[in-house]
């Protein structure tokens, strides 16, 4: 039994590597920027499932019915593990584009694929607000939703950290709804401080979209705090 986490980790890595090769090929041929595509977005979801199945990560999702794939949203979630974006790709029935760290864009082949998909590059140490705003606006205008982790990094202890205001300002500027999402259990499957996979349940709760039409920059802080309070209320004190 003590060797099982190592076996599970190796199986997850092998499946993920194979799926990545396939999805890179699909993206290189079919992706046309952030515009949603049944083929491309389906391939991304399949890629995510190829991570979750060998990992033994069992998804429990509440609130999927709150989402309409024909609507572009800014989706905000707390961030507990590197598994979060994979779980969100598999769980949320909408085309998603992400804000992703610059280091991921530096990976051979992967960076080119991310750019073809219209993912949005972020240098956490020196973020370019204009580039982020432009990339987000392009994705939303194309009909894709944009997923943001407003804590700015993964939680070290499972609690929900302070939210930054950027995602909420972007939603208001582009007049699209904010969708709050609470995520927990990913930290148990893939801890932030260890590259070891352990089976577990990942729970994702999707809240009601919050319309931003009519809001201005003066409403950013209140919107941010409202969303964070909702997320905190969904996440157990101990994950």
């Amino acid at each position: 039994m003590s060797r099982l986490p190592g076996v599970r980790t190796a199986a997850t890595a092998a499946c993920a590597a194979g799926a990545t090769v396939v999805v890179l090929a699909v993206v290189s041929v079919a992706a046309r920027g952030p515009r949603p595509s049944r083929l491309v977005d389906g391939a991304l979801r399949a890629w995510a499932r190829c991570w979750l199945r060998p990992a033994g990560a069992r998804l429990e999702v509440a609130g999927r019915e709150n989402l309409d794939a024909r609507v572009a949203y800014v989706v905000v979630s707390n961030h507990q593990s590197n598994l979060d974006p994979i779980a969100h790709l598999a769980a949320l029935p909408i085309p998603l584009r992400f804000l992703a760290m610059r280091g991921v864009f530096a990976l051979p082949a992967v960076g080119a694929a991310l750019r073809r998909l219209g993912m949005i590059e972020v240098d956490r140490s020196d973020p370019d607000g204009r580039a982020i705003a432009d990339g987000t606006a392009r994705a939303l205008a194309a009909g894709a939703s944009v997923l943001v982790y407003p804590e700015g990094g993964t939680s070290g202890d499972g609690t929900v950290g302070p939210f930054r205001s950027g995602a909420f300002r972007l939603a208001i500027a582009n007049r699209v709804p904010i969708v709050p999402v609470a995520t927990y259990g990913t930290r148990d499957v893939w801890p932030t401080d260890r590259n070891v996979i352990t089976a577990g349940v990942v729970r994702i709760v999707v809240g009601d979209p919050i319309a931003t039409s009519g809001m201005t920059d003066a409403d950013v802080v209140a919107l941010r705090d409202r969303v964070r309070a909702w997320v905190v209320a969904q996440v157990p004190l101990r994950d």
Side-chain angles (χ1 to χ4, degrees):
M1 293 295 293
S2 63
R3 298 172 66 181
L4 183 58
V7 171
R8 190 179 298 280
T9 302
T12 301
C15 186
T20 298
V21 171
V22 173
V23 81
L24 288 175
V26 171
V27 168
S28 69
V29 171
R32 298 292 184 271
R35 181 169 58 86
S37 157
R38 182 173 298 181
L39 174 61
V40 172
D41 290 298
L44 291 173
R45 290 192 186 95
W47 173 84
R49 289 192 291 269
C50 281
W51 272 88
L52 298 176
R53 285 174 181 164
R58 301 182 303 281
L59 280 178
E60 293 183 0
V61 186
R64 275 196 185 106
E65 67 278 6
N66 293 330
L67 298 171
D68 183 341
R70 298 167 297 180
V71 177
Y73 305 100
V74 171
V75 180
V76 295
S77 174
N78 61 308
H79 198 8
Q80 298 213 333
S81 164
N82 292 330
L83 191 67
D84 291 346
I86 298 166
H88 290 137
L89 270 175
L92 303 182
I94 54 177
L96 283 175
R97 302 298 179 260
F98 303 120
L99 271 65
M101 292 185 300
R102 174 163 291 175
V104 181
F105 281 83
L107 297 173
V110 173
L114 293 175
R115 293 184 179 92
R116 287 185 68 87
L117 285 164
M119 301 299 185
I120 301 152
E121 185 174 354
V122 178
D123 182 351
R124 190 178 294 171
S125 63
D126 185 22
D128 183 339
R130 175 49 56 191
I132 293 169
D134 289 348
T136 299
R138 280 194 297 272
L140 294 170
S145 293
V146 175
L147 176 62
V148 184
Y149 298 109
E151 290 165 283
T154 54
S155 170
D157 59 5
T159 60
V160 180
F163 278 10
R164 300 177 181 180
S165 298
F168 308 94
R169 186 169 286 109
L170 290 169
I172 290 172
N174 290 280
R175 299 178 183 175
V176 299
I178 280 273
V179 175
V181 172
T183 304
Y184 54 102
T186 52
R187 186 168 159 269
D188 292 331
V189 175
W190 187 1
T192 55
D193 58 348
R194 292 188 299 136
N195 285 322
V196 175
I197 301 295
T198 304
V201 177
V202 172
R203 295 180 174 88
I204 295 173
V205 184
V206 182
D208 293 323
I210 302 170
T212 63
S213 55
M215 292 187 182
T216 69
D217 277 351
D219 300 299
V220 166
V221 171
L223 178 61
R224 179 198 68 194
D225 293 349
R226 172 184 173 185
V227 169
R228 183 180 180 277
W230 182 89
V231 171
V232 169
Q234 311 307 312
V235 176
L237 294 178
R238 284 189 171 273
D239 188 7

mmCIF file of all heavy atoms in Angstrom, residues 20 24 47 51 100-116 121 190:
data_model
loop_
_atom_site.group_PDB
_atom_site.id
_atom_site.type_symbol
_atom_site.label_atom_id
_atom_site.label_comp_id
_atom_site.label_asym_id
_atom_site.label_seq_id
_atom_site.Cartn_x
_atom_site.Cartn_y
_atom_site.Cartn_z
ATOM 1 N N THR A 20 -1.320 14.969 -23.706
ATOM 2 C CA THR A 20 -0.772 16.270 -24.093
ATOM 3 C C THR A 20 -0.268 16.252 -25.527
ATOM 4 O O THR A 20 -0.476 17.205 -26.292
ATOM 5 C CB THR A 20 0.355 16.677 -23.128
ATOM 6 O OG1 THR A 20 -0.183 16.809 -21.803
ATOM 7 C CG2 THR A 20 0.993 17.993 -23.543
ATOM 8 N N LEU A 24 -1.902 18.731 -28.255
ATOM 9 C CA LEU A 24 -1.034 19.680 -28.955
ATOM 10 C C LEU A 24 -1.214 19.570 -30.469
ATOM 11 O O LEU A 24 -1.221 20.590 -31.183
ATOM 12 C CB LEU A 24 0.425 19.448 -28.573
ATOM 13 C CG LEU A 24 0.848 19.871 -27.168
ATOM 14 C CD1 LEU A 24 2.291 19.459 -26.896
ATOM 15 C CD2 LEU A 24 0.684 21.371 -26.967
ATOM 16 N N TRP A 47 -8.346 15.935 -22.394
ATOM 17 C CA TRP A 47 -7.019 16.016 -21.781
ATOM 18 C C TRP A 47 -7.134 16.093 -20.268
ATOM 19 O O TRP A 47 -6.405 15.409 -19.530
ATOM 20 C CB TRP A 47 -6.298 17.240 -22.327
ATOM 21 C CG TRP A 47 -4.994 17.566 -21.675
ATOM 22 C CD1 TRP A 47 -3.774 17.027 -21.960
ATOM 23 C CD2 TRP A 47 -4.769 18.525 -20.625
ATOM 24 N NE1 TRP A 47 -2.802 17.584 -21.158
ATOM 25 C CE2 TRP A 47 -3.390 18.499 -20.327
ATOM 26 C CE3 TRP A 47 -5.603 19.379 -19.917
ATOM 27 C CZ2 TRP A 47 -2.828 19.309 -19.342
ATOM 28 C CZ3 TRP A 47 -5.052 20.186 -18.936
ATOM 29 C CH2 TRP A 47 -3.679 20.151 -18.665
ATOM 30 N N TRP A 51 -5.973 13.343 -16.973
ATOM 31 C CA TRP A 51 -5.286 13.602 -15.703
ATOM 32 C C TRP A 51 -6.071 12.998 -14.532
ATOM 33 O O TRP A 51 -5.501 12.344 -13.655
ATOM 34 C CB TRP A 51 -5.176 15.114 -15.479
ATOM 35 C CG TRP A 51 -3.985 15.780 -16.049
ATOM 36 C CD1 TRP A 51 -3.842 16.296 -17.301
ATOM 37 C CD2 TRP A 51 -2.735 16.023 -15.377
ATOM 38 N NE1 TRP A 51 -2.596 16.853 -17.457
ATOM 39 C CE2 TRP A 51 -1.905 16.694 -16.290
ATOM 40 C CE3 TRP A 51 -2.265 15.745 -14.107
ATOM 41 C CZ2 TRP A 51 -0.616 17.091 -15.968
ATOM 42 C CZ3 TRP A 51 -0.974 16.140 -13.775
ATOM 43 C CH2 TRP A 51 -0.171 16.796 -14.703
ATOM 44 N N ALA A 100 -2.407 32.392 -17.374
ATOM 45 C CA ALA A 100 -1.394 31.390 -17.046
ATOM 46 C C ALA A 100 -0.035 32.053 -16.854
ATOM 47 O O ALA A 100 0.282 33.057 -17.494
ATOM 48 C CB ALA A 100 -1.303 30.341 -18.159
ATOM 49 N N MET A 101 0.760 31.474 -15.970
ATOM 50 C CA MET A 101 2.065 32.040 -15.652
ATOM 51 C C MET A 101 3.008 31.993 -16.849
ATOM 52 O O MET A 101 2.964 31.070 -17.664
ATOM 53 C CB MET A 101 2.693 31.290 -14.478
ATOM 54 C CG MET A 101 1.979 31.493 -13.156
ATOM 55 S SD MET A 101 2.877 30.698 -11.801
ATOM 56 C CE MET A 101 2.867 28.991 -12.332
ATOM 57 N N ARG A 102 3.870 32.994 -16.930
ATOM 58 C CA ARG A 102 4.814 33.105 -18.044
ATOM 59 C C ARG A 102 5.688 31.866 -18.176
ATOM 60 O O ARG A 102 6.033 31.453 -19.291
ATOM 61 C CB ARG A 102 5.680 34.353 -17.853
ATOM 62 C CG ARG A 102 6.794 34.511 -18.862
ATOM 63 C CD ARG A 102 7.347 35.909 -18.883
ATOM 64 N NE ARG A 102 6.362 36.846 -19.425
ATOM 65 C CZ ARG A 102 6.546 38.160 -19.470
ATOM 66 N NH1 ARG A 102 7.652 38.697 -18.991
ATOM 67 N NH2 ARG A 102 5.615 38.936 -19.989
ATOM 68 N N GLY A 103 6.053 31.234 -17.059
ATOM 69 C CA GLY A 103 6.904 30.054 -17.118
ATOM 70 C C GLY A 103 6.289 28.923 -17.924
ATOM 71 O O GLY A 103 7.001 28.157 -18.592
ATOM 72 N N VAL A 104 4.956 28.804 -17.897
ATOM 73 C CA VAL A 104 4.295 27.754 -18.671
ATOM 74 C C VAL A 104 4.413 28.056 -20.162
ATOM 75 O O VAL A 104 4.599 27.157 -20.985
ATOM 76 C CB VAL A 104 2.818 27.640 -18.252
ATOM 77 C CG1 VAL A 104 2.122 26.535 -19.033
ATOM 78 C CG2 VAL A 104 2.702 27.381 -16.757
ATOM 79 N N PHE A 105 4.342 29.339 -20.521
ATOM 80 C CA PHE A 105 4.461 29.724 -21.926
ATOM 81 C C PHE A 105 5.873 29.475 -22.462
ATOM 82 O O PHE A 105 6.062 29.417 -23.674
ATOM 83 C CB PHE A 105 4.111 31.207 -22.088
ATOM 84 C CG PHE A 105 2.636 31.483 -22.098
ATOM 85 C CD1 PHE A 105 1.923 31.606 -20.918
ATOM 86 C CD2 PHE A 105 1.951 31.631 -23.291
ATOM 87 C CE1 PHE A 105 0.563 31.867 -20.917
ATOM 88 C CE2 PHE A 105 0.594 31.903 -23.313
ATOM 89 C CZ PHE A 105 -0.107 32.018 -22.124
ATOM 90 N N ALA A 106 6.844 29.347 -21.560
ATOM 91 C CA ALA A 106 8.221 29.107 -21.987
ATOM 92 C C ALA A 106 8.475 27.644 -22.343
ATOM 93 O O ALA A 106 9.526 27.323 -22.909
ATOM 94 C CB ALA A 106 9.192 29.550 -20.890
ATOM 95 N N LEU A 107 7.546 26.749 -22.034
ATOM 96 C CA LEU A 107 7.748 25.336 -22.324
ATOM 97 C C LEU A 107 7.667 25.079 -23.828
ATOM 98 O O LEU A 107 6.766 25.589 -24.502
ATOM 99 C CB LEU A 107 6.692 24.488 -21.601
ATOM 100 C CG LEU A 107 6.724 24.530 -20.074
ATOM 101 C CD1 LEU A 107 5.527 23.775 -19.502
ATOM 102 C CD2 LEU A 107 8.025 23.933 -19.553
ATOM 103 N N PRO A 108 8.616 24.297 -24.362
ATOM 104 C CA PRO A 108 8.589 24.007 -25.799
ATOM 105 C C PRO A 108 7.253 23.401 -26.227
ATOM 106 O O PRO A 108 6.701 22.547 -25.532
ATOM 107 C CB PRO A 108 9.734 22.995 -25.965
ATOM 108 C CG PRO A 108 10.629 23.236 -24.793
ATOM 109 C CD PRO A 108 9.736 23.647 -23.665
ATOM 110 N N ALA A 109 6.739 23.836 -27.337
ATOM 111 C CA ALA A 109 5.474 23.373 -27.929
ATOM 112 C C ALA A 109 4.264 23.818 -27.113
ATOM 113 O O ALA A 109 3.268 24.272 -27.675
ATOM 114 C CB ALA A 109 5.460 21.856 -28.105
ATOM 115 N N VAL A 110 4.333 23.708 -25.805
ATOM 116 C CA VAL A 110 3.197 24.079 -24.963
ATOM 117 C C VAL A 110 2.906 25.574 -25.084
ATOM 118 O O VAL A 110 1.749 25.991 -25.220
ATOM 119 C CB VAL A 110 3.457 23.693 -23.494
ATOM 120 C CG1 VAL A 110 2.353 24.238 -22.581
ATOM 121 C CG2 VAL A 110 3.565 22.181 -23.362
ATOM 122 N N GLY A 111 3.962 26.392 -25.031
ATOM 123 C CA GLY A 111 3.769 27.832 -25.116
ATOM 124 C C GLY A 111 3.092 28.236 -26.413
ATOM 125 O O GLY A 111 2.173 29.065 -26.424
ATOM 126 N N ALA A 112 3.528 27.650 -27.521
ATOM 127 C CA ALA A 112 2.920 27.966 -28.815
ATOM 128 C C ALA A 112 1.451 27.563 -28.837
ATOM 129 O O ALA A 112 0.599 28.281 -29.376
ATOM 130 C CB ALA A 112 3.678 27.255 -29.930
ATOM 131 N N ALA A 113 1.143 26.407 -28.243
ATOM 132 C CA ALA A 113 -0.247 25.947 -28.200
ATOM 133 C C ALA A 113 -1.107 26.877 -27.351
ATOM 134 O O ALA A 113 -2.243 27.200 -27.720
ATOM 135 C CB ALA A 113 -0.311 24.525 -27.652
ATOM 136 N N LEU A 114 -0.574 27.317 -26.229
ATOM 137 C CA LEU A 114 -1.324 28.234 -25.369
ATOM 138 C C LEU A 114 -1.642 29.530 -26.099
ATOM 139 O O LEU A 114 -2.746 30.072 -25.991
ATOM 140 C CB LEU A 114 -0.543 28.516 -24.090
ATOM 141 C CG LEU A 114 -0.372 27.343 -23.128
ATOM 142 C CD1 LEU A 114 0.526 27.745 -21.963
ATOM 143 C CD2 LEU A 114 -1.718 26.853 -22.612
ATOM 144 N N ARG A 115 -0.677 30.020 -26.860
ATOM 145 C CA ARG A 115 -0.917 31.258 -27.616
ATOM 146 C C ARG A 115 -1.958 31.037 -28.708
ATOM 147 O O ARG A 115 -2.801 31.899 -28.956
ATOM 148 C CB ARG A 115 0.400 31.775 -28.195
ATOM 149 C CG ARG A 115 1.368 32.257 -27.116
ATOM 150 C CD ARG A 115 2.639 32.862 -27.686
ATOM 151 N NE ARG A 115 3.504 33.310 -26.608
ATOM 152 C CZ ARG A 115 4.468 32.560 -26.060
ATOM 153 N NH1 ARG A 115 4.696 31.344 -26.521
ATOM 154 N NH2 ARG A 115 5.203 33.040 -25.082
ATOM 155 N N ARG A 116 -1.916 29.893 -29.367
ATOM 156 C CA ARG A 116 -2.914 29.596 -30.400
ATOM 157 C C ARG A 116 -4.312 29.499 -29.797
ATOM 158 O O ARG A 116 -5.315 29.819 -30.448
ATOM 159 C CB ARG A 116 -2.582 28.285 -31.121
ATOM 160 C CG ARG A 116 -1.399 28.374 -32.070
ATOM 161 C CD ARG A 116 -1.210 27.082 -32.844
ATOM 162 N NE ARG A 116 -2.306 26.857 -33.774
ATOM 163 C CZ ARG A 116 -2.359 27.342 -35.017
ATOM 164 N NH1 ARG A 116 -1.367 28.098 -35.473
ATOM 165 N NH2 ARG A 116 -3.380 27.080 -35.804
ATOM 166 N N GLU A 121 -1.046 35.358 -21.002
ATOM 167 C CA GLU A 121 0.233 35.235 -20.306
ATOM 168 C C GLU A 121 0.349 36.277 -19.193
ATOM 169 O O GLU A 121 0.045 37.453 -19.395
ATOM 170 C CB GLU A 121 1.376 35.413 -21.302
ATOM 171 C CG GLU A 121 2.760 35.190 -20.738
ATOM 172 C CD GLU A 121 3.820 35.250 -21.820
ATOM 173 O OE1 GLU A 121 3.467 35.353 -23.008
ATOM 174 O OE2 GLU A 121 5.015 35.194 -21.461
ATOM 175 N N TRP A 190 -3.475 16.525 -4.973
ATOM 176 C CA TRP A 190 -2.146 16.971 -5.429
ATOM 177 C C TRP A 190 -1.717 18.148 -4.564
ATOM 178 O O TRP A 190 -2.009 19.298 -4.871
ATOM 179 C CB TRP A 190 -2.193 17.367 -6.902
ATOM 180 C CG TRP A 190 -0.855 17.677 -7.507
ATOM 181 C CD1 TRP A 190 0.371 17.627 -6.904
ATOM 182 C CD2 TRP A 190 -0.611 18.100 -8.866
ATOM 183 N NE1 TRP A 190 1.356 17.986 -7.783
ATOM 184 C CE2 TRP A 190 0.792 18.280 -8.987
ATOM 185 C CE3 TRP A 190 -1.431 18.336 -9.957
ATOM 186 C CZ2 TRP A 190 1.364 18.687 -10.187
ATOM 187 C CZ3 TRP A 190 -0.848 18.741 -11.147
ATOM 188 C CH2 TRP A 190 0.537 18.912 -11.265
#
